[in-house]
Amino acid sequence: MNIGEIARRAGVSRSTVSYALSGKRPVSEKTRRRIQRVINEMGYQPNASARALARGETRALGMVFPPASSHYTDMQLAFIGGVVEAAGAHDYDVLMSPRGADVDASFQRLVGERRVDGVILMEIRLQDPRVERLRDTGFPFVTIGRTGNPEGTAWVDLDYLNLVRRCVRHLSDLGHHHLAFVNRSEKLLRSGYESARRGLDGFEVALQETGLTGTAYTCDDDAAAGERCVQQILSSQPEVTGIVTINEASLGGLYRGLADAGRKIPRDMSVTGISAERWAEAVTPALTAAAQPALEMGRIAIDLLLERMRTPEKPARHQLLTPRIVLRASTGPPPVLGE
Amino acid sequence: MNIGEIARRAGVSRSTVSYALSGKRPVSEKTRRRIQRVINEMGYQPNASARALARGETRALGMVFPPASSHYTDMQLAFIGGVVEAAGAHDYDVLMSPRGADVDASFQRLVGERRVDGVILMEIRLQDPRVERLRDTGFPFVTIGRTGNPEGTAWVDLDYLNLVRRCVRHLSDLGHHHLAFVNRSEKLLRSGYESARRGLDGFEVALQETGLTGTAYTCDDDAAAGERCVQQILSSQPEVTGIVTINEASLGGLYRGLADAGRKIPRDMSVTGISAERWAEAVTPALTAAAQPALEMGRIAIDLLLERMRTPEKPARHQLLTPRIVLRASTGPPPVLGE
DNA sequence: TTGAAAGCGGTACCAG
DNA sequence: CTGGTACCGCTTTCAA
């Protein structure tokens, strides 16, 4: 079933059918109705590939995401949900391509073969060759997260530095003096993963500002790693009374580790950080934390991207989010010495 | 940059370039090299839309998933990850389209406009009009989950009925007599959501088989709902000593509710069920549960789908998974009376 | 208000 | 081994 067939049955030309559909040229009421009737009868829908070829646009947006060999974190997945939903609202589909290993191949396929009209990049590194590449080509794109030098690109990001800083302040205000910081994995940190890096920077800056002491730890993205991390913290720095974490996937293990060590939250140990609401509320006591507004970030990413696509001449915008810290039940004053 | 330009610069015809690329016709070594050199110089990549139009296939698979207004469950998201990854391994991209509200529109767009070569459906209802529709059209598709009458369709599913049954048996073997079942939301259950329905069936069958008593509860997908649900259980059936849950998103709240009521797990209350490993290990004590092998199911779905696409004449296959229950720390014998 | 026809960028058949 | 060309299905310009 194609447009020619519809035209034949309606007794008009193909172009008239096309115009009746697009409305880009006036079509008399009676022919329009006749055409519409045939279309309904036949259940005709125009072929997307043909349309894309003729129009030069696919009405699809690309989403490039990490190799993620084993498992995705909640956050990554939530972004995807937000992006797909927001794109749908604008009548765009989302095309996902992992193509892991090869850094380029992933979006070379999406962009090079013109499968999509624009791209969203996640899991940004401070030095990210993909971003450089895209910036050079002029292809519309947006990053969730930002590089070390994001000028001239469109991005949406969480202000990890200041969020972590606020967490430290919060603990400082409560009277804590010795803190630990639970970061993402060693591997991610080393590879210049931006949120891990900026979170760490925030921790260090905050220590200086407040005069507190503290140490940063890296931790893999699972419960077992969280347990190990706590053990490490407790054994190497028994004086720690407050923990700041940006590793939500290890949160459950972190709590368990503390429980196993006989440390009650928040009586013996305060815990705070950045985490999706889902995780913050799943643990007991619920975590005082800044939320990852993943859905909203997805929405913003789409808005920025559509803007790039529609008005490429305008300078790229960005948005840095600093959600407030939601007080729940996991922080309190440090235990009184000798008690 | 298109194939004509490459042909011109290499001094050959367009068809020769095409054949050099596809290998579907012998091309002399020297012309092949010449062509390849030009392609490399120009950074040429064939246009996907044009290719799709000419070949009649898009090399993209569709993923239709629920409106999911607010948030997706972990499980849904994990499926997506698994599917995308598996598809990538076969050189297919995955096109996602939510198009919420309208039940049909979602895949009418993907299928009707031939944006994809095959479709994966999730969030299946026992009576699912989308499945009927697709079955009629003969378009290749696979469901994650199955309808009440899945004959002749390709699907991969978890055997909720038997998994829940095993959970009940496990508690029965430990000596429990009074159980509660925590299902997904009332709304999902009513709408014929298959896993909710089949899980409930399993619970009822198991009670009959074992002679235990028990009641089923519905629960929304969040921690707060989990807390409420526990309160309800404890007040309406104080004799309950074992809980079976298939609602992982409420798990944290369920644990908290028990803690607040002064019930220790597993001393005063055993808890078991079906849950992604991530959640099962996040709670303390870790949950004895059957895992949702989401990644694997995604992989299987892709395999089945490609099979449908390549050999539509062969009868549709399916796969029913019954992962074993992983013993962790949340179940034990019931408290001794009067102790 | 409508029709004819030239693309869009590939693929693959028919000839040579 | 290679070239010419019809065609995939739709959009849009040109002409009437």
Side-chain angles (χ1 to χ4, degrees):
Chain A
M1 186 48 41
N2 59 36
I3 201 171
E5 184 71 4
I6 299 296
R8 209 178 51 67
R9 301 203 186 219
V12 296
S13 72
R14 299 190 308 156
S15 53
T16 300
V17 175
S18 178
Y19 285 120
L21 245 34
S22 70
K24 293 188 181 175
R25 186 169 90 172
V27 173
S28 80
E29 192 49 31
K30 55 189 73 159
T31 46
R32 178 199 298 294
R33 297 165 71 92
R34 188 146 34 91
I35 291 171
Q36 193 54 54
R37 201 160 42 70
V38 176
I39 286 178
N40 293 340
E41 273 171 17
M42 316 292 313
Y44 166 74
Q45 286 186 269
N47 179 303
S49 302
R51 183 174 265 183
L53 179 56
R55 290 219 266 236
E57 66 167 43
T58 61
R59 302 280 322 167
L61 304 177
M63 180 112 186
V64 177
F65 66 71
S69 52
S70 54
H71 63 198
Y72 302 90
T73 70
D74 235 46
M75 200 187 69
Q76 294 166 358
L77 260 13
F79 280 139
I80 295 174
V83 163
V84 171
E85 199 146 312
H90 292 276
D91 228 31
Y92 275 90
D93 292 329
V94 174
L95 193 55
M96 319 231 297
S97 173
R99 296 243 136 345
D102 193 340
V103 184
D104 297 319
S106 46
F107 70 81
Q108 269 313 309
R109 171 162 168 137
L110 259 36
V111 176
E113 300 181 1
R114 314 247 99 158
R115 279 175 134 67
V116 296
D117 300 333
V119 182
I120 292 173
L121 255 48
M122 331 186 346
E123 305 289 286
I124 301 299
R125 319 271 150 150
L126 290 171
Q127 308 269 4
D128 203 310
R130 304 171 302 169
V131 175
E132 310 301 329
R133 177 82 55 95
L134 278 176
R135 181 163 20 192
D136 292 345
T137 66
F139 194 86
F141 74 101
V142 166
T143 60
I144 293 182
R146 64 196 198 275
T147 63
N149 178 27
E151 286 73 35
T153 67
W155 50 266
V156 53
D157 202 359
L158 268 193
D159 191 352
Y160 274 86
L161 194 150
N162 277 309
L163 286 173
V164 169
R165 213 158 143 198
R166 283 194 199 164
C167 289
V168 171
R169 285 251 185 77
H170 172 57
L171 294 175
S172 171
D173 290 347
L174 286 168
H176 292 264
H177 290 99
H178 307 287
L179 307 183
F181 177 64
V182 178
N183 204 335
R184 301 292 293 282
S185 74
E186 171 85 30
K187 193 175 156 222
L188 285 176
L189 182 62
R190 275 185 185 281
S191 67
Y193 193 69
E194 75 115 349
S195 59
R197 191 69 242 175
R198 289 203 164 94
L200 180 56
D201 289 348
F203 185 65
E204 285 166 354
V205 167
L207 289 185
Q208 296 235 331
E209 290 173 345
T210 56
L212 306 195
T213 68
T215 309
Y217 299 79
T218 54
C219 177
D220 285 350
D221 286 339
D222 59 70
E227 289 188 66
R228 285 195 303 273
C229 189
V230 167
Q231 287 164 9
Q232 204 186 332
I233 292 171
L234 294 180
S235 70
S236 65
Q237 305 201 125
E239 72 276 19
V240 165
T241 60
I243 296 178
V244 175
T245 176
I246 60 171
N247 187 318
E248 60 179 21
S250 71
L251 195 58
L254 197 149
Y255 268 59
R256 180 156 53 241
L258 288 173
D260 288 351
R263 305 283 189 116
K264 277 256 183 203
I265 304 171
R267 196 194 61 193
D268 307 316
M269 182 73 80
S270 286
V271 184
T272 182
I274 305 174
S275 163
E277 212 173 305
R278 196 185 295 183
W279 285 99
E281 307 223 310
V283 291
T284 305
L287 187 73
T288 286
Q292 299 257 25
L295 248 51
E296 190 194 349
M297 289 176 73
R299 217 203 57 236
I300 293 173
I302 289 292
D303 287 344
L304 291 174
L305 181 54
L306 291 179
E307 193 174 308
R308 297 307 302 148
M309 289 163 48
R310 298 207 251 254
T311 55
E313 70 284 0
K314 274 200 193 169
R317 286 196 308 127
H318 60 253
Q319 217 156 325
L320 187 58
L321 306 183
T322 319
R324 64 180 202 76
I325 294 174
V326 177
L327 294 177
R328 295 197 184 86
S330 65
T331 56
V336 178
L337 238 75
E339 201 180 356
Chain B
M1 185 49 41
N2 59 36
I3 201 173
E5 184 71 2
I6 300 296
R8 210 178 50 67
R9 301 202 187 220
V12 297
S13 72
R14 297 193 308 151
S15 52
T16 301
V17 175
S18 177
Y19 286 120
L21 245 33
S22 70
K24 293 188 180 174
R25 187 167 89 173
V27 172
S28 81
E29 193 49 31
K30 53 190 74 158
T31 47
R32 178 198 298 292
R33 298 165 71 91
R34 188 148 32 91
I35 291 170
Q36 193 54 55
R37 200 159 43 70
V38 177
I39 286 177
N40 293 340
E41 272 172 16
M42 316 291 315
Y44 167 73
Q45 285 186 269
N47 178 303
S49 302
R51 182 175 267 182
L53 178 57
R55 291 218 267 234
E57 65 167 45
T58 61
R59 301 283 319 170
L61 303 177
M63 180 112 186
V64 176
F65 69 132
S69 53
S70 53
H71 62 199
Y72 301 93
T73 70
D74 234 47
M75 202 188 68
Q76 293 167 357
L77 260 14
F79 280 139
I80 295 174
V83 163
V84 171
E85 198 147 313
H90 292 276
D91 228 30
Y92 275 90
D93 292 330
V94 174
L95 193 55
M96 319 232 292
S97 170
R99 288 254 133 335
D102 194 341
V103 184
D104 297 318
S106 45
F107 70 80
Q108 269 312 310
R109 174 163 167 134
L110 295 181
V111 176
E113 300 182 1
R114 315 247 100 162
R115 276 173 141 58
V116 297
D117 300 333
V119 180
I120 292 173
L121 255 47
M122 340 188 334
E123 306 288 286
I124 301 300
R125 318 272 151 150
L126 290 172
Q127 309 268 4
D128 204 310
R130 304 171 302 170
V131 175
E132 309 302 329
R133 177 81 56 95
L134 278 175
R135 178 159 27 188
D136 293 344
T137 66
F139 194 86
F141 75 100
V142 167
T143 61
I144 292 182
R146 66 195 198 275
T147 64
N149 178 26
E151 285 74 35
T153 66
W155 51 267
V156 54
D157 202 358
L158 268 193
D159 191 351
Y160 274 86
L161 194 150
N162 278 309
L163 285 174
V164 169
R165 212 158 144 198
R166 282 194 199 166
C167 289
V168 172
R169 286 251 185 76
H170 173 57
L171 292 176
S172 171
D173 290 349
L174 285 168
H176 293 264
H177 291 99
H178 306 287
L179 307 183
F181 177 64
V182 178
N183 203 335
R184 301 291 294 281
S185 74
E186 171 84 30
K187 193 176 155 220
L188 285 175
L189 182 61
R190 276 185 185 281
S191 68
Y193 193 70
E194 76 115 351
S195 58
R197 191 69 242 175
R198 289 202 164 95
L200 180 56
D201 289 349
F203 185 65
E204 285 166 354
V205 167
L207 288 186
Q208 296 235 330
E209 289 174 345
T210 56
L212 305 195
T213 69
T215 308
Y217 299 80
T218 54
C219 177
D220 285 350
D221 286 340
D222 59 70
E227 288 188 66
R228 285 195 304 273
C229 189
V230 167
Q231 288 164 9
Q232 205 185 331
I233 292 171
L234 294 181
S235 68
S236 64
Q237 305 200 128
E239 72 276 19
V240 164
T241 60
I243 295 178
V244 175
T245 176
I246 60 170
N247 188 318
E248 61 179 21
S250 72
L251 195 59
L254 197 149
Y255 268 59
R256 180 155 53 240
L258 288 172
D260 288 351
R263 305 282 190 117
K264 276 256 182 202
I265 304 171
R267 196 193 61 192
D268 308 315
M269 182 72 81
S270 286
V271 183
T272 182
I274 305 174
S275 162
E277 212 174 304
R278 196 186 295 182
W279 285 99
E281 307 223 311
V283 291
T284 305
L287 187 73
T288 286
Q292 298 258 22
L295 248 51
E296 190 193 349
M297 289 177 74
R299 215 203 58 236
I300 293 173
I302 290 291
D303 288 344
L304 292 174
L305 180 55
L306 292 179
E307 193 173 307
R308 298 305 303 145
M309 289 163 48
R310 297 205 252 254
T311 56
E313 70 283 1
K314 275 200 192 167
R317 287 195 308 127
H318 60 253
Q319 217 157 325
L320 188 58
L321 307 183
T322 318
R324 63 179 204 78
I325 293 175
V326 177
L327 294 177
R328 294 198 183 86
S330 64
T331 56
V336 178
L337 237 74
E339 203 181 359

